[in-house]
Amino acid sequence: MKISSLAEVHQVFLSFRGDQLRYSFVSHLLDAFERHGILCFVDKDELRGQNMTNLFVRIKESKIALVIFSTRYAESSWCMDELVMMKKRVDKGKLQVIPIFYKVRATDVRGQTGEFGDKFWELAKTSRGYQIMQWKEALECISNKMGLSLGDKSSEADFIKEIAEEVERVLFEILRKAAKDYQCISFLLDKKRKMYPIFPESKKSWKWSYQFLKCKRSRLKREKTNKV
């Protein structure tokens, strides 16, 4: 594991309703991310004509998902399917999600009410029951997390700055934990190599090494018994 590997892929996956926010709020947010050195993936970076599998791969590559809930977010089945994939990654402990409530109430997202709910139920009319259940579970899960909210009379410039700072903070925590885990693993490996010179460098030799040590312990135990 390399600590630098976090910088080799997109650090943040951005999920939002493109027709509503791409050339306004999101474009300014991406400028802020660039100034802060945050690597971010948005669907315009993906080749046109590709299916959603490629977006799911990008989600798996990312350390953080930023979900911008707006009034029209739930009208897109693509946005909702992205959200389901994020929930799966969150449940496995492999992704951190920061919900952003852009001029929409968290309670409306969580309960599919208000203007947000109207768009969701319009989409539900042309969707399958299993899909709707997954979408509702994902909305409840993600909207329940600690996030940031922008009201109708709030400053978008200040809000964008707040988002960038929060993403930086979460990325720092991820890097700090990765560094700590790396140091712990290195320490344990070094300790085992000193205790057992035959401790393998490659994973392929682990099974053989384990069997060798097991046989050695059994032999010593038998010798001790015979002496008694």
Side-chain angles (χ1 to χ4, degrees):
M1 173 184 176
K2 296 187 296 182
I3 301 304
S4 60
S5 63
L6 288 178
E8 294 170 1
V9 295
H10 292 95
Q11 297 170 327
V12 181
F13 182 91
L14 199 58
S15 179
F16 61 97
R17 186 68 181 109
D19 289 349
Q20 185 179 18
L21 300 177
R22 186 185 304 279
Y23 300 110
S24 53
F25 179 75
V26 169
S27 64
H28 299 307
L29 181 61
L30 293 176
D31 286 341
F33 281 174
E34 186 174 352
R35 290 195 299 272
H36 284 75
I38 298 171
L39 300 178
C40 182
F41 173 84
V42 291
D43 58 8
K44 71 183 180 67
D45 295 331
E46 194 57 85
L47 295 174
R48 295 186 181 276
Q50 300 280 348
N51 59 33
M52 286 208 69
T53 302
N54 297 284
L55 291 177
F56 291 161
V57 170
R58 297 296 179 260
I59 292 173
K60 289 181 178 180
E61 290 176 345
S62 301
K63 302 302 174 185
I64 298 174
L66 203 65
V67 182
I68 305 178
F69 290 119
S70 60
T71 54
R72 293 178 54 192
Y73 183 90
E75 72 181 9
S76 168
S77 60
W78 279 56
C79 286
M80 298 308 299
D81 287 340
E82 287 175 0
L83 202 66
V84 171
M85 171 56 74
M86 291 176 208
K87 179 183 179 298
K88 291 179 180 177
R89 300 291 292 172
V90 168
D91 290 344
K92 293 179 180 178
K94 296 181 180 292
L95 181 70
Q96 292 195 44
V97 177
I98 303 173
I100 304 298
F101 302 99
Y102 181 84
K103 298 181 180 180
V104 67
R105 294 187 302 177
T107 52
D108 286 341
V109 175
R110 196 173 303 122
Q112 299 87 59
T113 55
E115 189 176 353
F116 182 93
D118 292 341
K119 297 296 183 182
F120 176 82
W121 292 114
E122 284 179 20
L123 177 64
K125 291 177 182 177
T126 59
S127 307
R128 299 187 298 273
Y130 181 65
Q131 273 184 313
I132 298 170
M133 182 184 71
Q134 283 189 315
W135 292 343
K136 284 174 65 66
E137 290 176 352
L139 284 170
E140 183 177 356
C141 171
I142 303 304
S143 64
N144 265 325
K145 297 189 174 300
M146 292 292 292
L148 302 171
S149 299
L150 175 71
D152 290 328
K153 297 181 180 180
S154 303
S155 166
E156 287 198 8
D158 291 341
F159 188 55
I160 286 172
K161 181 181 178 182
E162 186 179 2
I163 293 172
E165 290 174 351
E166 176 64 11
V167 170
E168 271 191 325
R169 184 191 68 78
V170 175
L171 281 172
F172 176 78
E173 287 300 316
I174 291 173
L175 284 167
R176 188 175 66 82
K177 184 179 183 302
K180 185 177 180 181
D181 291 344
Y182 177 77
Q183 290 172 352
C184 289
I185 291 170
S186 297
F187 172 77
L188 290 173
L189 288 175
D190 289 341
K191 187 174 181 180
K192 278 189 174 290
R193 289 192 189 100
K194 291 175 181 178
M195 291 173 63
Y196 307 106
I198 53 86
F199 190 75
E201 295 289 339
S202 65
K203 290 183 178 179
K204 292 181 180 179
S205 304
W206 280 32
K207 187 175 180 181
W208 175 88
S209 178
Y210 172 76
Q211 293 296 335
F212 178 87
L213 293 174
K214 188 177 179 181
C215 291
K216 185 175 181 180
R217 285 196 296 269
S218 298
R219 188 181 65 186
L220 291 173
K221 187 176 181 181
R222 286 198 303 271
E223 289 176 354
K224 186 177 180 180
T225 303
N226 291 336
K227 288 181 179 179
V228 173

